[in-house]
């Protein structure tokens, strides 16, 4: 099989397109605008520092810190959705403590999927947390090992935003390496 024909196989093309999409996301998305990104960043930074379990939260704290756990209107469907979200938040949410030089507010003004927030809320930068000793993450109970890998980027001597981008790049590199392995295995399996 010729080299060009081998490069045009589905596994390679899928990996190249995903790599291009990943690079575009890394370079164009404002910090905190990725799906649940601030909560994941806090978990990763804490895991890289050995703080893997966090401090459990109460139902009232989940409703206070996690907008999706509050009903947007008084309809039965919305009340039920917020109740289920709050209940799941009790099991997954944790508080973490991070150094001031790393800590960011865990929910940005442009938090995704909030009907009450206009699309014009603007770009947001990684701002210092008001309480770096009590950072809320609704992914706090997720397994810490993958977070610790990406969290290594938060240990670099850089400004807050630079650490955030470093964590993004490390996470993307791991994902693309795993996708490359999958593409290679697909190339080997298909004659």
């Amino acid at each position: 099989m010729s080299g060009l024909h081998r490069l045009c196989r589905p596994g390679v093309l899928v990996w190249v397109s995903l790599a291009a999409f990943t690079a575009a996301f890394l370079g164009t998305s404002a910090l905190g605008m990725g799906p649940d990104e601030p909560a994941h960043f806090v978990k990763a930074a804490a895991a890289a520092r050995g703080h893997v379990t966090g401090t459990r939260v109460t139902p009232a704290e989940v409703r206070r810190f996690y907008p999706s756990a509050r009903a947007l209107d008084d309809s039965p469907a919305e009340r039920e959705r917020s109740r289920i979200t709050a209940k799941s938040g009790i099991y997954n949410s944790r508080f973490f403590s991070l150094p001031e030089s790393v800590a960011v507010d865990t929910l940005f003004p442009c938090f995704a999927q909030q009907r009450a927030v206009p699309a014009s809320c603007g770009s947001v930068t990684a701002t210092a947390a008001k309480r770096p000793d009590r950072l809320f993450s609704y992914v706090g109970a997720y397994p810490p090992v993958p977070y610790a890998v990406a969290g290594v980027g938060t240990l670099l001597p850089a400004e807050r935003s630079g650490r955030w981008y470093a964590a993004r790049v490390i996470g993307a590199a791991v994902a693309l390496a795993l996708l490359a392995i999958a593409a290679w295995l697909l190339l080997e399996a298909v004659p």
Side-chain angles (χ1 to χ4, degrees):
M1 177 179 296
S2 73
L4 180 59
H5 186 262
R6 194 161 174 83
L7 288 176
C8 292
R9 307 271 310 265
V12 173
L13 294 176
V14 167
W15 186 86
V16 168
S17 65
L18 289 172
F21 176 77
T22 301
F25 172 80
L26 289 173
T28 62
S29 293
L31 294 177
M33 296 299 110
D36 304 315
E37 192 176 14
H40 289 294
F41 177 82
V42 167
K43 171 72 175 181
R49 288 164 175 76
H51 193 192
V52 295
T53 57
T55 305
R56 290 190 62 96
V57 299
T58 66
E61 289 169 329
V62 170
R63 284 188 184 87
R64 181 173 164 224
F65 288 100
Y66 187 34
S68 291
R70 296 188 296 264
L72 294 175
D73 56 45
D74 200 33
S75 68
E78 183 62 19
R79 285 196 316 265
E80 179 64 10
R81 184 211 52 80
S82 65
R83 184 191 68 77
I84 291 170
T85 302
K87 186 174 182 181
S88 69
I90 295 165
Y91 299 109
N92 292 325
S93 300
R94 299 287 189 273
F95 284 114
F96 294 98
S97 177
L98 291 175
E100 286 184 30
S101 61
V102 177
V104 295
D105 282 326
T106 55
L107 291 177
F108 289 6
C110 295
F111 185 73
Q113 301 167 358
Q114 294 296 303
R115 294 187 308 214
V117 177
S120 61
C121 64
S123 65
V124 182
T125 59
T127 56
K130 295 170 193 73
R131 294 270 323 260
D133 60 324
R134 196 160 169 82
L135 297 169
F136 180 79
S137 176
Y138 46 84
V139 298
Y142 288 14
V145 173
Y147 285 94
V149 173
V152 167
T154 70
L155 300 173
L156 298 176
E159 64 180 28
R160 185 176 286 104
S161 295
R163 291 176 177 168
W164 194 306
Y165 279 117
R168 268 188 179 184
V169 168
I170 291 171
V174 170
L176 289 174
L178 292 172
L179 286 169
I181 292 168
W184 178 77
L185 290 172
L186 181 63
L187 283 173
E188 294 300 313
V190 178

